Amino acid sequence: MAATTADGSKVVGGGEKSNVDEESKMITLFSSDGERFEVTQEAAAMSQTIHHMMEDGCVDDEGVHLPNVGSSILAMVIEYCNRHVASPDEKEDIRSFDAGFVNVEHHTLFDIIRAANYLDVKELMDLCCQTVADSIKSKSVEEIRELFGIVNDFTPEEEAEIRKENQWAFE
Amino acid sequence: MAEVANPPPGRRAIPLADLPGELLLDILLRLPPKSILRCRAVCTAWRRITTDRAFLLAHHGRQPSQRLLSFVRDVGCNAGCGIIDLNLLDYCVEAVDLRTREFRSVVRFTGNDYSRFDEDDCPFTVHAACDGLLLMSYYDTLYICNPATREWASVRPPSLRTHKIAGLYVHGPSGEYRVLSYREDRRTRTNKFFINTVGSKNMRRIKFGSYSESMRNLLAGGSRSTQFDRPFLSHGKLHWLPQSTPPKNILVFDTVAEEFSWLPTPVETWHVVSLLEVDGTLAMSESRVGTSKVDLWVLQDYKSAAWVHKCRIELPAADIYLIAKHERWTSQVVSADGDVLVDCTDWCTTGWQLHYDRKGNLLRKFQCNPSLSLTTHILKESLLPHPFFRMQQDGSARGPPFFRGL
């Protein structure tokens, strides 16, 4: 499908935009703080959001602007996508890459989750949400509150009642 | 969508309390039941989410279907002169998650010993499982329990002094949990079948419709003709294998129509037969004692009894023989992925259970005492509340011992 950009030039489909190098099929991504990232179309397509943009011809001359993703997080997401399209069949390698990838501070992990949600990268969402879930499993109630920055809004009586309901689960 | 721009150095990012609802749900749905119970104490919002019925249904749907293993362990104590037998036993039920190959204790308690040579003497029985609920008895008291929440309620009728349990199921149209039981009428030499809704004191008899003479004879034979103590629930129907081998027909009870019928097995089934569910339909594993092949059949249609041979799994018989040291092992497919459990226990010896994958690779082996029994029961944990548990608030009623050893 064809679309006309602001400066009047025609933009058609995925492969004919001026910012896309046809030989290596690259695409430019811009983070919220204006940093520029070159990625292969294949890696970028792991993001369903970008994939749909490319298919619908919404990618303009410059590239894709991602106002919701900062550069350091975008760099990590790109690293994940590059690794996963490079050798999708080497299960053992990918598993150890993934394990290392999520071995970051929790607030970084949460930022990645938000970015992966916005960009709709299902595998990355799965990986990160599972990592957070796994860390919750071993935590006490207080530790869970701290992890998520949650304020306890129960009265002491209410909380005692809940703990009493299933005492064994809190041991 | 909250901005996730890089924070200036030294400042932490926005806490996860601002995480969009659907992301928090995604994370919470991945937690095991015990963690969900804990999350209820985090804050009022989390309590609301984790007690919401739709959430609990979705959570139940995600739980793995686990086979239950039941066994006993001698409990003794070490005195100066050796081990003293206390005439006590640890009764255990463990759930096997075949994907993670983990065993988890679901029931554990110490009780009285019994004559191990007479299985009927065992005071503890897991009769049936349905939707994360277990129907179990200790001596003559029947209980329904949810191991994920440790809730329990006594179930009576039926009385275990006069009735035997044939199954537990959820009645589709009403959502009621019901127990199917039977009682032998010695005078008329027939078996009468009864249905009781859990939580109700009423029990009613199933009226037999126009059954053929051979069906009446079969039902009259009770547990002598049919393995009623090993029910398999699938698609709103209860199934039992016959006592005779090889099994020509499977006895089926339609829980909505409340009718018994026969389901012929694929032609020429061998002696070691067990039922399971594959892709939502009834399936059957069959093999011969001491051989390397296990076949998996899937039922296409009840009416026409059309079975389809899904696959044949080849096991390394020579390797098994080296471990078992005899040729009387039995193999059965226990999951849709083709996991095979090979039982090398041979009555009085301490034997091995081997877990193979569908390609014949040994994943795990574990040694167990001869009392170990792989039940037909599947546990899929659930945190859904049930009205019959809440009725059991009477503080004076002493609960069952099932969870005391956990």
Side-chain angles (χ1 to χ4, degrees), chain A residues 2 11 17-18 24 34 44 55 64 71 76 81 99 160 163:
Chain A
V11 174
K17 296 194 243 331
S18 51
S24 51
E55 282 206 320
V64 182
S71 53
M76 294 184 75
C81 295
R163 282 174 182 263

Side-chain angles (χ1 to χ4, degrees), chain A residues 7-114:
Chain A
D7 65 3
S9 59
K10 280 235 171 88
V11 174
V12 180
E16 293 180 32
K17 296 194 243 331
S18 51
N19 64 303
V20 174
D21 183 351
E22 266 234 67
E23 270 90 64
S24 51
K25 292 215 179 118
M26 302 296 280
I27 184 172
T28 308
L29 304 177
F30 291 95
S31 65
S32 61
D33 43 349
E35 258 196 62
R36 195 192 156 104
F37 296 86
E38 298 277 337
V39 274
T40 61
Q41 273 196 17
E42 203 191 346
M46 275 193 81
S47 154
Q48 288 299 304
T49 306
I50 297 178
H51 175 67
H52 289 314
M53 281 176 161
M54 293 195 296
E55 282 206 320
D56 296 346
C58 300
V59 180
D60 66 14
D61 281 355
E62 283 187 11
V64 182
H65 288 267
L66 302 167
N68 287 6
V69 190
S71 53
S72 67
I73 299 298
L74 183 56
M76 294 184 75
V77 175
I78 289 172
E79 185 196 349
Y80 177 89
C81 295
N82 281 339
R83 185 65 182 81
H84 274 248
V85 299
S87 41
D89 296 324
E90 283 163 37
K91 298 227 167 96
E92 272 308 313
D93 287 345
I94 292 225
R95 222 173 309 186
S96 62
F97 168 81
D98 283 353
F101 185 82
V102 291
N103 191 12
V104 292
E105 280 197 51
H106 276 112
H107 64 271
T108 308
L109 194 59
F110 296 159
D111 287 340
I112 298 176
I113 288 180
R114 274 188 275 241

Side-chain angles (χ1 to χ4, degrees), chain B residues 222-273:
Chain B
S223 53
R224 290 186 310 280
S225 317
T226 306
Q227 295 184 44
F228 281 120
D229 58 334
R230 292 169 77 85
F232 188 78
L233 180 66
S234 165
H235 265 309
K237 297 193 212 312
L238 284 167
H239 307 76
W240 306 269
L241 291 169
Q243 293 286 12
S244 61
T245 54
K248 290 238 177 71
N249 295 299
I250 297 171
L251 183 64
V252 181
F253 180 71
D254 184 322
T255 62
V256 176
E258 294 184 355
E259 272 174 8
F260 285 98
S261 63
W262 266 311
L263 177 64
T265 55
V267 179
E268 286 180 43
T269 45
W270 293 111
H271 292 225
V272 184
V273 169

Side-chain angles (χ1 to χ4, degrees), chain B residues 190-208:
Chain B
T190 56
N191 266 304
K192 297 194 165 77
F193 287 81
F194 300 85
I195 292 179
N196 172 46
T197 295
V198 176
S200 134
K201 297 272 178 223
N202 299 324
M203 191 160 74
R204 61 184 165 85
R205 198 182 138 195
I206 299 175
K207 293 200 173 11
F208 283 178

Side-chain angles (χ1 to χ4, degrees), chain B residues 123-127 135-143 160 402:
Chain B
F124 170 65
T125 311
V126 184
H127 297 278
L135 195 66
M136 304 187 283
S137 65
Y138 189 53
Y139 288 104
D140 277 340
T141 315
L142 185 64
Y143 299 94
L160 291 181
F402 305 141

